[in-house]
Amino acid sequence: MKLTATLLALAAGLQVTSAFPHFATEENYQKLAARGMVKQRAPSNNPARKLEVRDLIGGLLQPLTGVLAAIDLPTPQNQVLELVPDAAHPYKAPGPTDIRGLCPTMNTMANHGYISRNGITTFAEAANGCQQAYGFGYDLCTFLSALGLLAGGDLVTGKMSISGPDARVPNTLGPAKGLDNHGPFEIDGSMSRNDTYFGDNHSFLMERWNTIRDFAKKYDNGNFGNAMWKKERKATYDKAVATNPEFYAGAKYIAVSIAERAFIPRALPTFKGGPSPGIPDAFNVEPFFLNETFPANWFKRGDPYGLVGLAGDVVDYVTDLDTFTKPGQNQGIGNFVPFSLDLPTEPYAAGCFLFTTLADVGAGGLEGEAVHAIGQVVEQIMAPLFKGAFNCDFSGTNTPSSGSGSGVNGG
Ligand code: HEM
């Protein structure tokens, strides 16, 4: 699979979806320059250059440089079968200035202090908490956290809100909109949250949960395995096609709508009985959604679930013809316009599909350091993880130039 159109467009600033819809301001640029983090450049004249993908060292990212130099890196966490939460992470209900968002497991991490209880986290903290609390691998947790950062964080400090924009997150390169930001990561057709078109895309909806429970009863003996999630995903898609005039089901929809559902059987059953605990039941799953806490006596998995596992799950969903969701978009109700996508049917292609699709957060309307920083997150953080796991072909992938005295120091 060639990594061409989307990332080339990102490099050229041609995408319509934007993580930071405003240009980097002169004021922000001067702030960076004062810190010695940028030098003079002429953004619009930047030639694209090939992605220079570094290798992982011992499976880990190398220190970040240039505009990303101030961001802390995640570290590998102890991955063993263990009781979660431990004594150091008791549940505390969110206080008046603590914020919660659209990811039930991020909210649970915040309620237990695996990430900051106020809901303002960082790239490293979220990736570390994800490993500690759920037993997902360093590669997948780092990738998810990088995606969150690209979608709605501040690329210079690495801070992000797990909800909407927040004054506690700086807007160094442009507005940091938080994980709620629709498009780069947040999608239509989620599980327990509404589509952005209807207004609130981040609050838990009990009626959705009741539907999910009905699917569990009908298709999975009351359990929450992939059999019922595939049916629920297709039904949610059908409903969105019928009711959301702006429903968008492109590559990102496919990647995220599958990943979030496949995560349930991968992360939420209690693993007390060993690495294969079976299908999660209501006792395992409901506390995460209804109370944003862990079930009593819950053991996280000891064998990390990583990017390779996720790629396999994507293939499992995409190749299930009964629940296949045709890529396309609504241009008004009753006018679903399909488009063709090269969907992966084996895990290697699925891994590279995830990279191509999710690393493309778009850069429409952006110039200068914001575009450059997005390219650097893709180059320095995301691509090495996929090079390590899948050895994707990056030969057709470009990023904005940092050469010829026009870029970021060390970038
Ligand atoms: C740093 C790590 C993570 C980040 C930044 C993150 C971010 C997000 C975002 C932006 C969404 C919204 C997607 C949508 O619009 O449907 C989401 C949803 C979701 N995430 Fe996470 N996530 C992380 C880790 C995890 C983990 C480890 C799990 C494991 C179970 C998980 C489970 C889910 C689920 C189930 C949803 C769907 C919620 C619903 O609609 O009901 N996430 N996450």
Side-chain angles (χ1 to χ4, degrees):
M1 173 174 295
K2 286 244 167 79
L3 303 172
T4 48
T6 50
L7 287 169
L8 278 169
L10 186 154
L14 294 176
Q15 287 290 303
V16 285
T17 317
S18 168
F20 306 97
H22 300 295
F23 294 1
T25 62
E26 181 60 22
E27 187 192 350
N28 283 332
Y29 173 77
Q30 293 302 341
K31 277 190 213 156
L32 286 175
R35 286 185 232 157
M37 300 187 77
V38 295
K39 51 190 174 184
Q40 199 57 50
R41 60 189 308 216
S44 54
N45 293 330
N46 280 339
R49 70 176 174 83
K50 290 268 185 268
L51 209 68
E52 287 171 11
V53 182
R54 309 179 199 170
D55 291 318
L56 300 173
I57 297 185
L60 308 180
L61 292 174
Q62 299 184 41
L64 305 178
T65 59
V67 71
L68 308 182
I71 300 183
D72 286 338
L73 278 181
T75 49
Q77 302 296 308
N78 197 19
Q79 295 285 21
V80 290
L81 191 74
E82 64 184 352
L83 199 60
V84 171
D86 59 17
H89 296 93
Y91 175 84
K92 285 185 197 160
T97 59
D98 298 338
I99 52 168
R100 299 292 178 261
L102 38 55
C103 178
T105 51
M106 292 285 275
N107 293 344
T108 300
M109 283 199 271
N111 288 342
H112 285 268
Y114 284 99
I115 60 173
S116 304
R117 290 182 185 270
N118 65 6
I120 307 298
T121 187
T122 66
F123 166 58
E125 183 186 72
N128 291 342
C130 164
Q131 297 172 70
Q132 289 165 356
Y134 300 108
F136 278 14
Y138 171 89
D139 62 351
L140 179 54
C141 287
T142 300
F143 178 62
L144 288 171
S145 190
L147 194 53
L149 184 64
L150 276 184
D154 177 56
L155 299 189
V156 173
T157 58
K159 286 190 182 182
M160 62 181 138
S161 145
I162 66 171
S163 183
D166 193 287
R168 291 166 287 188
V169 178
N171 300 305
T172 318
L173 300 177
K177 294 181 163 187
L179 291 186
D180 287 359
N181 187 19
H182 179 66
F185 193 164
E186 201 280 327
I187 51 156
D188 293 335
S190 311
M191 297 148 66
S192 66
R193 270 69 175 169
N194 225 337
D195 289 359
T196 300
Y197 173 80
F198 299 108
D200 176 355
N201 69 351
H202 86 251
S203 301
F204 173 78
L205 294 173
M206 197 63 205
E207 73 196 59
R208 288 265 190 136
W209 185 252
N210 289 337
T211 306
I212 288 169
R213 273 216 304 237
D214 291 344
F215 273 84
K217 283 184 196 139
K218 192 163 175 192
Y219 296 108
D220 226 345
N221 300 318
N223 294 321
F224 296 80
N226 284 326
M228 62 80 46
W229 286 118
K230 285 179 186 171
K231 299 276 191 195
E232 177 275 335
R233 178 174 168 275
K234 174 73 165 87
T236 303
Y237 166 96
D238 288 342
K239 191 172 174 196
V241 170
T243 59
N244 177 354
E246 295 176 3
F247 179 54
Y248 191 84
K252 195 154 294 200
Y253 162 79
I254 289 167
V256 176
S257 70
I258 291 175
E260 64 191 15
R261 286 167 173 89
F263 283 179
I264 302 293
R266 294 299 186 178
L268 303 191
T270 186
F271 289 79
K272 199 176 183 178
S276 304
I279 299 174
D281 58 19
F283 178 81
N284 300 145
V285 176
E286 286 198 343
F288 291 99
F289 280 89
L290 302 188
N291 306 110
E292 299 184 333
T293 187
F294 296 91
N297 202 23
W298 187 78
F299 283 73
K300 78 161 185 177
R301 59 183 300 141
D303 61 328
Y305 170 74
L307 287 172
V308 171
L310 174 57
D313 284 333
V314 167
V315 171
D316 178 34
Y317 274 67
V318 164
T319 55
D320 185 301
L321 297 183
D322 281 349
T323 57
F324 183 74
T325 55
K326 196 183 288 179
Q329 72 178 112
N330 263 350
Q331 292 178 1
I333 301 286
N335 186 27
F336 184 79
V337 181
F339 44 74
S340 69
L341 279 179
D342 187 11
L343 295 176
T345 53
E346 51 85 19
Y348 168 81
C352 300
F353 169 82
L354 285 170
F355 171 73
T356 314
T357 300
L358 295 173
D360 174 13
V361 299
L366 289 175
E367 286 185 2
E369 291 311 320
V371 178
H372 178 77
I374 291 171
Q376 289 300 300
V377 172
V378 173
E379 178 168 303
Q380 294 191 39
I381 299 175
M382 292 181 158
L385 299 169
F386 284 83
K387 188 179 180 190
F390 304 99
N391 201 20
C392 296
D393 173 11
F394 299 102
S395 60
T397 310
N398 297 333
T399 69
S401 170
S402 62
S404 312
S406 65
V408 173
N409 291 331

